[in-house]
Amino acid sequence: MSAEPAPDPKQAAPPRARRHRASGTARRDALLAATVEVVAERGWAGVTHRAVTEQAGVPLATISYFFESIEELAAEALRVFTAERVRVMSSLNTVLATQQLDFAGMAGLFAGAAAANRTQSMAIFEAYLQAGRQPEHRAMVADALAALRQVATTALTAVGAPDPEGAAESYAALVDGYAMHALTRENLEVDRVSLQRAIRALFLGELVEAGRIEEAAQLSGAYPKHQGE
């Protein structure tokens, strides 16, 4: 009897094999998402096999199927989380680069960025702390911050800021600061009115420092101190 020809590696995999791979990918993704949720609730020290698998709704042994250790899972979850943040910020930056933006639109943009959901806010702050504790994670977290600063640079350029690139970090820090403070509020909501006042004050200061006094006066008159209250 002649030998059966070897399967062509280029040939499409059987439907059952494709379903198996898809199911495996879904379980792996569920573990990564669950890890971020656990980090947001308990911090990195709370990332255990039981905590993650219970959050993901999968058997306890599932992690060992995809990752060699809980540390490897945590590192991959951080990588995926920060990469997704970079992707979202990069997409926003692309959109901003093609739009006209006034000061009110810019202030609203930053206020919206600060008003992320609680899990996302907690996770990014935990990522900052992890970068401070473990130098090997700093580059990926720095990339996420750089993407936020690039969005700020693009928005500031659109509204004619004196030094968009130089000022971007100040605005990014302001957004993060308000998002962090919101976590201590009963309703967990960012005080958008207060944040927009802070953004206006920062922008006015830059205009004055650059000698653009008339523009600063016009902006100050257009947006009274207690606007929205």
Side-chain angles (χ1 to χ4, degrees):
M1 185 172 62
S2 61
E4 186 176 290
D8 183 354
K10 297 181 180 179
Q11 190 174 14
R16 183 175 180 180
R18 291 198 296 272
R19 286 197 300 271
H20 178 72
R21 286 200 296 270
S23 175
T25 299
R27 287 198 301 273
R28 186 178 188 275
D29 290 346
L31 289 173
L32 294 171
T35 301
V36 172
E37 292 165 1
V38 170
V39 166
E41 291 299 324
R42 310 184 189 182
W44 292 97
V47 177
T48 65
H49 284 77
R50 185 170 299 280
V52 172
T53 53
E54 285 182 354
Q55 185 72 26
V58 298
L60 186 61
T62 307
I63 290 176
S64 299
Y65 182 79
F66 295 100
F67 302 96
E68 293 185 359
S69 66
I70 194 70
E71 290 78 16
E72 183 182 37
L73 168 61
E76 178 64 4
L78 177 61
R79 185 195 68 78
V80 170
F81 174 72
T82 53
E84 175 62 13
R85 189 169 172 86
V86 168
R87 186 195 68 77
V88 170
M89 290 296 161
S90 297
S91 297
L92 176 58
N93 191 62
T94 299
V95 172
L96 285 175
T98 62
Q99 293 184 341
Q100 291 185 336
L101 196 67
D102 59 13
F103 180 81
M106 182 195 72
L109 172 71
F110 286 131
N117 67 61
R118 178 181 180 276
T119 296
Q120 289 288 309
S121 293
M122 293 289 287
I124 192 60
F125 296 138
E126 287 289 344
Y128 294 163
L129 292 173
Q130 188 73 343
R133 296 184 186 111
Q134 299 189 9
E136 64 270 23
H137 294 149
R138 288 175 188 165
M140 65 181 77
V141 178
D143 286 344
L145 274 173
L148 175 59
R149 287 195 297 270
Q150 185 56 55
V151 169
T153 299
T154 300
L156 289 165
T157 299
V159 297
D163 180 14
E165 190 170 347
E169 186 162 8
S170 297
Y171 287 87
L174 193 61
V175 166
D176 272 349
Y178 268 81
M180 181 180 291
H181 288 192
L183 297 174
T184 69
R185 297 167 67 91
E186 188 67 28
N187 60 8
L188 300 177
E189 292 182 1
V190 170
D191 185 340
R192 287 173 175 258
V193 172
S194 176
L195 174 54
Q196 289 178 347
R197 283 206 308 267
I199 290 169
R200 185 180 68 248
L202 182 58
F203 194 77
L204 286 171
E206 291 170 3
L207 289 176
V208 171
E209 188 175 59
R212 293 161 58 175
I213 308 301
E214 185 175 343
E215 291 178 60
Q218 291 174 348
L219 180 61
S220 182
Y223 295 90
K225 181 178 180 181
H226 299 293
Q227 180 195 18
E229 295 184 340

